[in-house]
Amino acid sequence: MPTVLLRGKDGKACLTDFRYVIRGDQSLEKAAILGKGLGQQNKRKALDKTDSHGGGHDGREQRRMVSKLLEEFDVEEQPSTLLETRFPNIKVIESGVKQLKSEEHCVLTEDGSQYIYKQLCLCAGAKPKLVCEGNPYVVGIRDTDSAQEFQKQLTTAKRIMIIGNGGIALELVYEIEGCEVIWAIKDKAIGNTFFDAGAAEFLTSELITEKLEAKIAHKRTRYTTEGRKKEARTTAKASNVGSALGPDWHEGLNLKGTKEFSHKIHIENMCEIKKIYLQEEFINLKKESLILPSDNKSVKTIDKEMWPVYVELTNEKIYGCDLIVSATGVTPNVEPFVLGNNFNLGQDGGLEVDDHMHTSLPDIYAAGDICTASWQPSPVWQQMRLWTQARQMGWYAAKCMAADHLGEPIDMDFSFELFAHVTKFFNYKVVLLGKYNAQDLGSDHELMLRCTKGQEYVKVVMQNGRMMGAVLIGETDLEETFENLILNQMDLSSYGEDLLDPNIDIEDYFD
Ligand SMILES: Cc1cc2nc3c(=O)[nH]c(=O)nc-3n(C[C@H](O)[C@H](O)[C@H](O)COP(=O)(O)OP(=O)(O)OC[C@H]3O[C@@H](n4cnc5c(N)ncnc54)[C@H](O)[C@@H]3O)c2cc1C
Ligand SMILES: NC(=O)C1=CN([C@@H]2O[C@H](COP(=O)(O)OP(=O)(O)OC[C@H]3O[C@@H](n4cnc5c(N)ncnc54)[C@H](OP(=O)(O)O)[C@@H]3O)[C@@H](O)[C@H]2O)C=CC1
C-alpha cells in the first residue's frame, strides 16, 4: 500500500483540509498537413507546456512563463490567406479529405480534387465518444458548432444530466448556471482523469461553498466564437467536426439555463447509464407500475415532473431531464484514412506512431489526438489527448519530416521527457506533472500531501526516494522546482517530510 503523508500549509499534519506553423522550409513544399486544429483556433487563452525552442510562435502571442516548461499565452486565429501570405510555401486547401490512397501517395478531397504528396502528416484530431449515440437528447461537445448547439439547448433547460468524469464534465459543472445538473460518474470521486480522491475532495467542497457564487467575479477575459464558428463550417465537412475546443472554450458562451439559481449540482457516483427512455416510453413504463423489462426490478423515480427524456442509472435511480451531455472521452478520427490502408492502430483506435511520429505506412506521419504514441515512453511521460501534446507532436512531427526528407538524424523532442499540463478547474490553477496519479507505478510508491482547504492541494508521488509525479492545485509556486526534481531524478530520501514543509523554502533548498 502506498504511504500517505498529510500536512496543512501551516506545517501541521492534517486530514482536512498551447498554433503550429510549419516554418518556411522550402524542402517541405510537398509535405501535406491534413487537419487544421491547433493553428486555427480563435483568439483564446491557452495554458500550455511548450518546448524551449518556441516553434511556431510569432509576435502576436503574449507569453507568460509559468515555469521553465509550462507557459501561458494567448493565441489569435488568423484567416488562412494570411498564413499563405506570411509563409509562401504553405498552400491551404479548404476541403475535407474523403479518401487516402497511401500506395499511390494521393489524397482525394470532397471538392473532387486529388493531391499527390511526398510526405503526409495526418492531424485530423478525434471525435467525442458518445454514450447512446444517435439518441436526439444526447449531445457531445467538441467544436464551436457543438458547443453553440449545447448553449442553445441549455437556454430552455431546467435540468440536464452530465455523464463522464473528465475534463469537459469538470468544466461544465462549474460553468453552468440556472440549471439543475445531475452529474453521473463511474467513480467514487470527481475528475478521475485528472485527480485522485483527495484532490477531488478539495475541489468538491468548492461546489458547495460560496466560492462558486463568487466565481463570476473571477472569470477570465471573454472572447467571441463567431470567427471560429465560420471556420468550423467551411473546413471540416468530411467529418462534420471542426477543431477541438481548447482552454477557456466556454468563455463567450452563456451557459445558463432557465432557472434563477446559480448552481444546483447533484452527484451520482459509482454508476453508469443503463437505459434512456423517451417521455412516451417512460409513461408506458409507469403504466406497468415501474417494473423495468430489463431486470424486473422496481425502480425509484426521483420526481413527479414530466421530462422529455429519462435516464435509468445502474444504481437503479431514474432521472428525468431535458438533455444528456455525454462527456465520455474521445475516439481518434481515423475513418477516412484507414479505409483501404493497412495502418497499425493502437488499442485506443489511434494511428500508431513511432518515436519519429511516423505511422506504420511509408511517408505518412501523424500528430495530435488522431495518433497513439507507440514508442517506449520516458518513465514520467504518458499520452493524453490534450492541446498541449497535440501542439508538441505537431511541432516535432514537422521536424521529423524535414529530417527524414534530408536524411538527417533527429533526437526525440525534450517535451516528451516529462508529462506536464497546466489548466484551470473550478477557478484553481491545476498543474499535473509526470506520473501525477501514480500511473503504472504499482503499489510500491509513496504519496505526500499538503492541503489547506480553499487555498492549495499539493501531492507528490515518490518511488525509491525519487519524485515521479505531482499534482499542484492553487498558487503553490512549486511547479518549477518539482519539474526539475522529477526530470533529474535526484534521490530525495534524506529530505523525507521536509519536502513539503511550508516553512522550508524548497526552491532555495534545491538551487
Ligand atoms: C471542450 C473541450 C475543451 C478542451 N480543453 C482543453 C484544455 O483546456 N487544455 C488542453 O490541453 N486540451 C483541451 N482539450 C483537448 C484539445 O482541444 C485537443 O486535444 C486538441 O485540440 C487536439 O488537437 P488536434 O490538432 O489533434 O485535433 P483538432 O483540434 O480536433 O483538429 C483536427 C482538425 O482536423 C480537421 N479534420 C477532421 N477530419 C478531417 C478530414 N477528413 N479532412 C480534413 N480535415 C479534417 C478538423 O476539422 C479539425 O480542424 C479540450 C477539448 C474539448 C473538446
Ligand atoms: N482542462 C483540460 O485540460 C481539458 C481537457 N479536455 C480534453 O478534451 C478531451 C475530451 O474531454 P472528455 O470528454 O471530458 O474526456 P476525458 O477523457 O477527459 O474523460 C472521459 C470521462 O468519461 C468517462 N467515461 C468513459 N466512458 C464512459 C461511459 N460509458 N459511461 C460513463 N463514463 C464514461 C471516463 O472514465 P474512465 O476514465 O474510467 O474511462 C472519464 O471519466 C479529452 O482528451 C480531455 O483530456 C477537455 C476539457 C478540459
Side-chain angles (χ1 to χ4, degrees), residues 120-175:
L120 176 71
C121 187
L122 298 172
C123 310
K127 54 188 178 193
K129 192 175 65 187
L130 299 184
V131 291
C132 309
E133 195 155 8
N135 186 305
Y137 291 96
V138 177
V139 301
I141 298 172
R142 176 71 184 175
D143 51 14
T144 312
D145 280 359
S146 55
Q148 289 188 340
E149 180 56 31
F150 168 65
Q151 177 191 10
K152 199 172 126 205
Q153 296 200 34
L154 190 64
T155 54
T156 56
K158 286 182 282 182
R159 182 197 284 168
I160 67 164
M161 180 171 273
I162 299 179
I163 312 289
N165 197 12
I168 294 180
L170 276 169
E171 293 192 339
L172 280 180
V173 292
Y174 186 69
E175 293 296 329

Side-chain angles (χ1 to χ4, degrees), residues 35 37 97 125 142 236 238-239 241 243-245 247 333 369 386-388 390 421:
V97 170
R142 176 71 184 175
S239 55
V241 287
S243 307
L245 297 161
N333 197 14
D369 280 9
L386 293 167
W387 216 29
T388 328
H421 183 52

Side-chain angles (χ1 to χ4, degrees), residues 485-505:
L485 290 176
I486 298 172
L487 276 170
N488 67 28
Q489 287 292 289
M490 183 177 161
D491 187 352
L492 302 165
S493 318
S494 57
Y495 300 95
E497 299 173 23
D498 289 351
L499 212 53
L500 291 191
D501 190 333
N503 301 313
I504 295 175
D505 192 340

Side-chain angles (χ1 to χ4, degrees), residues 268-282:
E268 284 289 343
N269 61 2
M270 311 274 285
C271 65
E272 289 179 56
I273 284 193
K274 190 168 174 187
K275 195 157 182 202
I276 297 177
Y277 303 92
L278 300 182
Q279 193 185 77
E280 205 178 323
E281 286 177 293
F282 186 72

Side-chain angles (χ1 to χ4, degrees), residues 20 34-38 40-41 44 47-48 95-98 123-126 141-143 168 171 231-232 235-236 238-239 241-249 330 333 336-337 367-370 384-391 421-424:
Y20 66 60
L34 297 183
K36 45 189 297 194
L38 299 177
Q40 304 295 321
Q41 310 289 338
R44 60 192 187 182
L47 288 160
D48 183 29
S95 182
V97 170
K98 62 174 184 190
C123 310
I141 298 172
R142 176 71 184 175
D143 51 14
I168 294 180
E171 293 192 339
E231 182 268 334
T235 59
S239 55
V241 287
S243 307
L245 297 161
D248 278 349
W249 62 277
V330 296
N333 197 14
F337 312 110
D369 280 9
I370 196 175
M384 271 181 86
R385 289 193 164 81
L386 293 167
W387 216 29
T388 328
Q389 294 196 356
R391 181 181 167 277
H421 183 52
V422 52
T423 185
K424 260 192 176 182

Side-chain angles (χ1 to χ4, degrees), residues 280-316:
E280 205 178 323
E281 286 177 293
F282 186 72
I283 292 168
N284 293 337
L285 188 74
K286 271 180 116 172
K287 279 184 187 150
E288 288 168 30
S289 52
L290 293 179
I291 302 293
L292 282 182
S294 50
D295 57 6
N296 272 3
K297 269 192 209 158
S298 280
V299 290
K300 289 177 237 152
T301 53
I302 302 304
D303 59 50
K304 301 279 173 272
E305 198 169 335
M306 290 309 292
W307 298 92
V309 64
Y310 290 82
V311 184
E312 184 190 357
L313 299 171
T314 47
N315 62 11
E316 304 201 342

Side-chain angles (χ1 to χ4, degrees), residues 47-83:
L47 288 160
D48 183 29
K49 170 198 168 195
T50 63
D51 40 71
S52 51
H53 30 61
H57 294 175
D58 66 10
R60 285 178 188 81
E61 290 169 2
Q62 294 179 4
R63 296 195 197 194
R64 187 176 66 81
M65 297 308 291
V66 176
S67 73
K68 251 189 254 165
L69 289 169
L70 294 152
E71 66 179 356
E72 190 182 46
F73 55 99
D74 297 324
V75 183
E76 195 171 332
E77 184 181 86
Q78 296 158 15
S80 53
T81 45
L82 206 77
L83 193 69

